[in-house]
């Protein structure tokens, strides 16, 4: 192999190695939200949507209320007539009863959406063209103990699905976000002492994990541009 060829091969190898971290970082940024949408959403004629009560595996009422409130704020400007989760729950209970409401909740927990058999009934009772199902897949905070190194963090993972009155899945979104607090160093100078049981623990004054609302807002800020919006259907040829 000539010297010129060896130099060319070496230069190509160096370029490939230097680009590898950049490619890895690029692929990492793609890992996050996933969206699906039918090709012609406007053709389904959805003008009114009911947001079903938010569900979670651990029956975390506070988490469900937080997601319902913040998610609901993002839906106001889509152009649809919206029925809130609170109103939807009351309407379903009054017309279907608590037992069937539990069946609907369990179905959303299991599948993330209503099936084609349940959707027509629910939409008819709520007098809407479609329903939005929202499920909390993860709602977790990790604290750092006073004698540990590391960053406290908060993780939120959601799934949302829009199903019309015929049971067709029109739109879906899923994603997660993890927010980290400041790095915790147990050797930092304590600002006080906390007595827990028989043990005295130093208090370093270092911050904890981010609030759930702040982490949730990051997800919803990314989802908002992808929310289904009310548009006029394309004219028939």
């Amino acid at each position: 192999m000539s010297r010129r060829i060896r130099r060319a091969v070496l230069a190509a190898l160096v370029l490939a190695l230097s680009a590898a971290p950049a490619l890895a970082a690029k692929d990492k940024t793609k890992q996050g939200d996933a969206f699906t949408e039918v090709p012609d959403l406007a053709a389904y004629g959805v003008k009114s949507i009911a947001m079903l009560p938010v569900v979670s595996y651990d029956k975390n009422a506070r988490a469900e209320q937080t997601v319902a409130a913040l998610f609901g704020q993002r839906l106001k400007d889509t152009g649809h007539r919206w029925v809130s989760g609170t109103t939807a729950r009351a309407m379903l209970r009054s017309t279907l009863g608590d037992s069937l409401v539990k069946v609907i909740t369990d179905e959303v927990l299991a599948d993330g959406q209503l099936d084609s058999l349940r959707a027509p009934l629910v939409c008819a009772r709520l007098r809407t063209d479609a329903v939005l199902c929202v499920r909390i897949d993860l709602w977790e905070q990790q604290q750092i103990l006073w004698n540990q190194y590391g960053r406290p963090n908060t993780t939120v993972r959601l799934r949302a699905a829009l199903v019309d009155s015929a049971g067709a899945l029109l739109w879906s979104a899923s994603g997660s976000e993890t927010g980290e607090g400041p790095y915790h160093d147990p050797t930092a100078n304590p600002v006080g002492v906390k007595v827990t049981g028989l043990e005295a623990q130093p208090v370093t004054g270092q911050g904890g994990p981010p609030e759930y609302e702040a982490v949730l807002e990051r997800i919803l800020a990314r989802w908002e541009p992808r929310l289904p919006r009310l548009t006029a259907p394309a004219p028939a040829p």
Side-chain angles (χ1 to χ4, degrees), residues 15-199:
L15 180 62
L17 291 177
S18 62
L23 292 175
K26 184 178 181 181
D27 290 339
K28 185 176 181 180
T29 61
K30 293 180 181 179
Q31 298 174 1
D33 305 324
F35 299 92
T36 65
E37 184 176 318
V38 292
D40 189 6
L41 182 59
Y44 288 81
V46 174
K47 298 181 180 179
S48 57
I49 303 174
M51 183 177 184
L52 295 184
V54 179
V55 298
S56 59
Y57 290 107
D58 57 353
K59 305 295 189 296
N60 189 329
R62 181 178 178 183
E64 294 168 0
Q65 293 169 1
T66 300
V67 172
L70 296 184
F71 206 155
Q73 293 176 5
R74 300 278 180 171
L75 301 173
K76 295 178 180 179
D77 297 328
T78 62
H80 300 94
R81 178 178 69 84
W82 282 94
V83 175
S84 68
T86 303
T87 302
R89 185 193 301 275
M91 293 176 66
L92 291 176
R93 280 181 171 174
S94 64
T95 58
L96 300 178
D98 289 338
S99 58
L100 193 51
V101 170
K102 184 180 184 305
V103 172
I104 295 171
T105 300
D106 292 342
E107 186 173 299
V108 176
L109 276 175
D111 302 328
Q113 64 186 71
L114 294 181
D115 63 16
S116 57
L117 298 177
R118 204 83 59 192
L121 174 63
V122 174
C123 288
R125 291 296 186 272
L126 298 176
R127 299 190 289 274
T128 58
D129 302 318
V131 291
L132 179 67
C133 310
V134 182
R135 184 181 70 191
I136 302 174
D137 290 337
L138 188 62
W139 189 269
E140 182 180 78
Q141 279 187 340
Q142 291 187 351
Q143 302 280 351
I144 300 299
L145 298 178
W146 66 272
N147 58 349
Q148 291 180 330
Y149 292 89
R151 292 182 181 274
N153 61 78
T154 302
T155 301
V156 174
R157 183 162 66 239
L158 298 179
R159 169 178 167 78
L162 180 66
V163 180
D164 74 352
S165 58
L169 178 62
L170 305 183
W171 174 90
S172 70
S174 61
S176 64
E177 178 72 23
T178 297
E180 293 184 335
Y183 186 79
H184 184 271
D185 184 357
T187 64
N189 294 329
V191 296
V193 176
K194 179 177 67 175
V195 179
T196 304
L198 301 177
E199 183 182 6

